[in-house]
Amino acid sequence: MIHQITKALDSVLNIKSVSAHCDVPCGIYDPSTMQLAALTVIRFMDQINELEGKELTLADQAKLVRLVSEKEIHAEKVKQEVRIVWGDYFKAAQFEACPGTNELVHNIMLTGSKCKQGIERAAAEELLTLVNEFAVSFWKTKGVDTFTATCPYPPALDVVYPKLG
Amino acid sequence: MHPTLRDGDYIIALKYFNNHFLVGDIVIAAHPIYQDIIKRIQAIDENGNYWLVGDGTDTLSTTSMGAIPPAALRGKMLFHIKAKQ
C-alpha cells in the first residue's frame, strides 16, 4: 500500500534513482559478435567438408583437428554471446517488446550444441538464421531498424545489420 | 544490496549537517565511476574516508569502489519501502 502510494508520487515527482551495482554492467551489447561466430561455424564446416574423400596427409589431419576444434569453440561462443545479451541486457521491457525471445534463445542453445556435435551445414545455417532473428529483436529494443545483406566474405550468407547513422 | 534492498524499492534518506555516518549505515554515495550508488558503510579509515560494501554476494568489491570522501555521501537511509514481491 505504502509502496503503491510512493510509486504514484514517483510518477509525478520523479524521485531520484540510485543503483546498488550488484554486478559491473558495462552496457555494451551488440549481436555482431554472435553473428560472426555463427558465420565462422559455417565457414569451418565448409572447410571440413572439403576434406571429404581426400587422402589426408599429416598436414591435412592437423588442419582437420584445428578446424573441428575451432568450429566447436565458435559454436560455444555463439551460445555464450547470446546468453550474455539475454541474461544481462534483456529485462521485462525487452521481453515485452520481443515476445518469443526465451523460446528463440533456447532454440539457439540447442542448435549451437548440434553444431558442436556434428558437421551438418544445415544446422549451422539454421544457427545463423536464429541468431539473425535474435539480432532483429535486439535492435528493435534499441529502436534501431535493421536490414539484411549478404556478408562480403565467405560464406557469403545473409546477415542482419543495424541501420545506423 | 540483495537481500536488504531490491529493484523497485523506495528509501527515504537524510543528510546530516555534520556528516554523521556510522559503520553499518546504508548510504547513498556519488561515485566518480558508478554514479549514485547505495551501499553499506563497512569501515571509516583514519583519513575520515568511507569504505563501502554491498549486502549481496555478487556486489562490487570494496576495493573497486575505493575510498569515498565524506563530501560524496549524499545521505543515510532512514526508511525503507519495499516493493511488492
Side-chain angles (χ1 to χ4, degrees):
Chain A
M1 179 69 173
I2 296 174
H3 186 269
Q4 284 174 322
I5 294 168
T6 313
K7 198 171 179 180
L9 284 172
D10 186 17
S11 64
V12 179
L13 301 174
N14 195 19
I15 297 170
K16 191 171 175 53
S17 297
V18 292
S19 169
H21 275 305
C22 289
D23 202 337
V24 189
C26 66
I28 301 171
Y29 303 105
D30 194 315
S32 61
T33 50
M34 59 191 78
Q35 290 170 302
L36 288 178
L39 287 167
T40 305
V41 172
I42 296 172
R43 182 68 181 139
F44 286 153
M45 281 190 182
D46 286 347
Q47 293 190 51
I48 290 167
N49 286 312
E50 283 168 12
L51 297 173
E52 175 80 44
K54 189 178 175 186
E55 194 168 324
L56 299 183
T57 63
L58 187 59
D60 288 334
Q61 291 181 45
K63 182 183 176 185
L64 177 60
V65 168
R66 291 192 64 217
L67 288 170
V68 170
S69 171
E70 288 299 316
K71 184 259 297 176
E72 294 192 18
I73 287 171
H74 282 78
E76 182 55 41
K77 187 176 180 185
V78 172
K79 295 176 66 177
Q80 172 70 1
E81 295 291 331
V82 171
R83 274 197 297 265
I84 289 170
V85 176
W86 174 76
D88 293 356
Y89 168 71
F90 269 74
K91 304 281 192 314
Q94 287 76 24
F95 285 122
E96 196 176 320
C98 306
T101 297
N102 288 338
E103 191 182 355
L104 174 61
V105 168
H106 187 232
N107 276 338
I108 291 173
M109 297 301 124
L110 294 176
T111 311
S113 294
K114 200 173 175 184
C115 290
K116 287 173 71 177
Q117 291 158 357
I119 54 169
E120 297 161 22
R121 193 180 204 264
E125 288 176 13
E126 175 66 10
L127 183 63
L128 178 63
T129 301
L130 294 170
V131 167
N132 277 334
E133 278 180 41
F134 189 76
V136 170
S137 294
F138 172 83
W139 290 117
K140 184 180 171 189
T141 68
K142 292 283 186 187
V144 174
D145 288 335
T146 56
F147 66 99
T148 301
T150 303
C151 63
Y153 41 75
L157 293 170
D158 283 351
V159 175
V160 166
Y161 297 99
K163 282 185 186 170
L164 300 173
Chain B
M1 285 294 285
H2 280 211
T4 311
L5 300 174
R6 295 175 186 273
D7 246 8
D9 287 0
Y10 289 96
I11 65 151
I12 294 170
L14 183 68
K15 177 159 186 170
Y16 298 101
F17 290 110
N18 58 359
N19 280 332
H20 190 64
F21 298 109
L22 302 172
V23 170
D25 286 349
I26 293 177
V27 293
I28 296 170
H31 194 278
I33 296 173
Y34 303 111
Q35 311 296 316
D36 289 334
I37 55 175
I38 184 162
K39 293 287 174 189
R40 193 180 291 279
I41 295 175
Q42 185 186 51
I44 304 170
D45 65 24
E46 65 274 14
N47 299 317
N49 291 323
Y50 295 88
W51 293 81
L52 307 179
V53 67
D55 287 359
T57 52
D58 54 356
T59 180
L60 287 171
S61 70
T62 298
T63 50
S64 70
M65 287 184 275
I68 309 293
L73 291 190
R74 297 284 188 249
K76 166 182 170 176
M77 184 177 91
L78 292 182
F79 194 62
H80 176 201
I81 303 163
K82 289 185 178 181
K84 196 175 178 183
Q85 297 301 312

